[in-house]
Amino acid sequence: LVPRLQYFWVHLAYFVSIILIGSLIFWGLEDKFDYIDCLFVMTSACTVTGLSSIDFTQVSGGGQTLVLIWILMGGLVNVSLV
């Protein structure tokens, strides 16, 4: 028998996975930042809090685009679809 998926665990797995994937991609794009800063930025983007531990004037266009995509993935519309 397949156990039923619960709302909480599905959302927790969604957020943890996109945060970890996004932070690794962001860290690969922006080699001048520590991984913990990339993890914090992507966590902030996914939870749509707007906090940042880095200066975004030093982030490349690709990195800024990635953060924008992760903001959209963590937004209310996408999270309600999960």
Side-chain angles (χ1 to χ4, degrees), residues 1-81:
L1 295 167
V2 177
R4 288 185 40 190
L5 293 176
Q6 294 181 352
Y7 178 82
F8 172 77
W9 294 111
V10 171
H11 277 76
L12 182 66
Y14 174 74
F15 273 107
V16 169
S17 62
I18 66 171
I19 287 170
L20 291 177
I21 292 169
S23 63
L24 288 171
I25 295 171
F26 189 68
W27 188 40
L29 289 173
E30 306 294 331
D31 57 350
K32 57 184 160 270
F33 300 121
D34 293 331
Y35 177 71
I36 193 71
D37 289 326
C38 296
L39 182 66
F40 184 82
V41 167
M42 296 316 284
T43 302
S44 175
C46 288
T47 57
V48 195
T49 56
L51 302 174
S52 179
S53 60
I54 60 174
D55 183 14
F56 262 87
T57 60
Q58 298 177 357
V59 178
S60 67
Q64 291 179 4
T65 304
L66 180 71
V67 171
L68 173 66
I69 292 169
W70 255 246
I71 289 171
L72 295 173
M73 288 175 62
L76 186 60
V77 173
N78 284 341
V79 171
S80 65
L81 295 176

